[in-house]
Amino acid sequence: MTPTESVPAAPARDALAALRRRSVNRILFLHGLSSFCYGMVFPFIGIHLAGQPDIGTAGVAVYYGVSGVANLAVSLLLTATSARIPRHALGIGGLVLWLGCFLVLTDASAVPATATAAVLGGAGQGCFMAAIIPIVNSLVPPEERRAVFARRYQILNATLAAGSLLAGLLLTVFSRDAIVWLLVANAAGYLPVAVALWLARRVPSVPEEDAEPADSAEKPGDAADAEKAAAAGDAAAPGKPAAAFGAGMLIRASMGVALFQFGAYLIGYSQFEATAPLVADQLMDTGIGWISLMLTLNVAVIVLAQRHVTRWLENRPEELGLRIAVGLWVAGFVLAGLAGLGPTPVQLGGLLAYAVFFALGECAYSCSFHPWLISKVPERELTRASALCNSMMGVGMFLGPSIGVGLIGLGEPALVWLPLAALCALVALTTLRRGARAVARDAAKDAPQDGAPTPAGVAPTA
């Protein structure tokens, strides 16, 4: 192509890039609005259900457990199925199921209704989470993905905190019965995100070959497929398009990432979302105001620290960022546990310290996890890989709150936090060690032999 022929293509590329950028910004903005609505209810779901005479604390474990099972079932189905459900339709369907979940919760006064809402919510989460990451990924150039996913996480957490703070203020003025109306507002908050996904379906994706350097010896798209297939154990020769991943190959490629997701939700996120508010309300008698303060502090730290943590980890391996996240979560549990041995003011200080350390860990997780997943599989397989990781999240959400509720039965805050610290270190660090071994094995497999050049995109080790 002559220089004069390439000139008209540049404005077209710029226009496409601007269109994708607007679509991503619209999705992030409206997802933030939905997160604001969810922030008004998520710390209070367990408290609302536990306050129902025919549900109680055991019903809270049922809700999170059934939700996790439904999430797991849908995610495994999406991982194994040969049918390719369009991403945008999958995401919109998940949002509709989520909407139904929270409408059912408004009138849930017994365990069967709670379980029905949990099925809808778990299935909705399984569909939406399998779709949203590939959708955003398809609209963002590779060099911008880490920053975009970190910005997404920052937006979601800021709006989550704002919603929680507003709900805390409202519930101090009105009775806890107002939680029902907050559930309705949250259900309505899913509709704008569905509109954003509907509008994004006609936006052209970033070509997969853009992810590879131009100086590769093969065609860019073929090189990307061959390299990633090799990392998954495929025997396809370089320069030839890789065959579609089977379920077994997909699991081998992304299992290390999925196992970490399991640990993160088993002892990390499920405990912060379900157990911490119950500990504060039932064992420390803090009231809803302190729970809102804890969540607001958590997100304020994320908003202030996310950019700095992302910049510091930008040129470091994703696995390092995840190890740092786990270490910070363990430190937060330990501080809360030690504070739980003291008087009430010290216990409250430990609760806030836990919120701060968990927030810093979330910063490291948010800019590391999805780039780690994206690096493991071809872009066309990202929906199924996301579904696999989401299935592990479902298992963690299934088991995690039950562990927390069981520890709450011991009757002391310290007897909740310290065992969680030990479990966090054991489960999450074990899964990261497995992931590290897989990375080392793949690196050895892909190492150049007999003076062969290093493949494009693979950094030489020191």
Side-chain angles (χ1 to χ4, degrees):
M1 179 179 291
T2 65
T4 56
E5 292 174 333
S6 64
V7 172
R13 286 196 302 269
D14 292 344
L16 273 178
L19 179 62
R20 295 185 187 111
R21 194 174 300 113
R22 287 195 300 271
S23 182
V24 168
N25 289 338
R26 180 168 54 237
I27 291 172
L28 295 184
F29 174 78
L30 293 178
H31 199 178
L33 175 62
S34 171
S35 177
F36 174 82
C37 296
Y38 184 60
M40 293 193 294
V41 299
F42 102 88
F44 311 121
I45 293 173
I47 294 172
H48 172 68
L49 294 176
Q52 304 298 316
D54 294 332
I55 298 177
T57 304
V60 176
V62 169
Y63 172 78
Y64 285 104
V66 173
S67 176
V69 170
N71 187 334
L72 172 63
V74 169
S75 300
L76 289 178
L77 181 63
L78 291 173
T79 301
T81 184
S82 59
R84 301 290 180 169
I85 302 175
R87 295 169 177 174
H88 301 85
L90 186 65
I92 293 170
L95 291 166
V96 171
L97 290 171
W98 247 339
L99 183 150
C101 163
F102 285 96
L103 290 181
V104 172
L105 279 180
T106 61
D107 195 37
S109 57
V111 172
T114 303
T116 300
V119 170
L120 293 172
Q125 185 180 47
C127 293
F128 180 76
M129 293 303 295
I132 188 63
I133 299 305
I135 289 173
V136 173
N137 180 69
S138 69
L139 299 173
V140 180
E143 66 274 8
E144 298 178 15
R145 284 171 184 162
R146 193 163 193 169
V148 167
F149 282 116
R151 181 161 63 95
R152 169 181 175 267
Y153 201 81
Q154 193 173 19
I155 291 171
L156 295 184
N157 277 279
T159 51
L160 195 74
S164 174
L165 181 61
L166 176 61
L169 294 174
L170 291 174
L171 293 175
T172 57
V173 176
F174 303 100
S175 68
R176 294 191 179 193
D177 293 338
I179 293 176
V180 171
W181 294 107
L182 298 180
L183 292 170
V184 173
N186 177 59
Y190 292 118
L191 296 176
V193 192
V195 172
L197 297 188
W198 176 260
L199 294 175
R201 77 195 192 284
R202 297 188 181 277
V203 179
S205 300
V206 174
E208 188 174 352
E209 57 266 24
D210 286 358
E212 292 300 311
D215 58 356
S216 176
E218 297 84 26
K219 290 172 62 178
D222 294 345
D225 289 346
E227 183 179 331
K228 290 180 179 178
D234 194 4
K240 295 181 180 180
F245 272 27
M249 187 181 298
L250 179 71
I251 290 173
R252 288 197 301 273
S254 53
M255 181 53 73
V257 187
L259 287 176
F260 175 80
Q261 185 82 322
F262 164 73
Y265 276 83
L266 180 76
I267 307 297
Y269 285 97
S270 69
Q271 305 306 327
F272 187 78
E273 178 174 336
T275 302
L278 286 175
V279 171
D281 187 59
Q282 297 190 2
L283 299 185
M284 300 171 64
D285 197 25
T286 61
I288 286 179
W290 268 92
I291 296 173
S292 293
L293 176 61
M294 178 190 74
L295 296 170
T296 302
L297 177 62
N298 170 266
V299 179
V301 172
I302 291 175
V303 171
L304 293 173
Q306 182 70 75
R307 182 176 300 178
H308 302 290
V309 173
T310 301
R311 186 181 299 118
W312 186 75
L313 291 173
E314 189 171 10
N315 296 318
R316 291 175 168 84
E318 288 87 357
E319 293 91 334
L320 173 63
L322 296 175
R323 290 191 184 95
I324 291 172
V326 172
L328 289 166
W329 292 346
V330 171
F333 281 132
V334 169
L335 286 174
L338 295 177
L341 301 173
T344 299
V346 175
Q347 292 182 11
L348 293 175
L351 187 68
L352 298 182
Y354 164 63
V356 170
F357 275 80
F358 193 83
L360 293 172
E362 287 183 277
C363 290
Y365 170 93
S366 67
C367 65
S368 302
F369 178 77
H370 288 114
W372 189 31
L373 170 63
I374 290 167
S375 71
K376 293 296 181 182
V377 296
E379 195 275 339
R380 69 181 182 276
E381 299 293 344
L382 192 54
T383 298
R384 291 203 300 157
S386 295
L388 174 64
C389 291
N390 199 49
S391 72
M392 294 296 101
M393 180 179 73
V395 176
M397 289 301 293
F398 165 63
L399 296 175
S402 301
I403 294 172
V405 169
L407 293 173
I408 288 173
L410 299 176
E412 292 292 336
L415 297 181
V416 178
W417 301 123
L418 293 178
L420 288 177
L423 288 172
C424 186
L426 176 65
V427 175
L429 287 177
T430 299
T431 60
L432 274 176
R433 284 176 58 84
R434 192 269 174 211
R437 286 197 297 270
V439 170
R441 184 170 60 251
D442 292 342
K445 184 190 304 181
D446 293 338
Q449 302 293 329
D450 301 326
T454 302
V458 178
T461 57

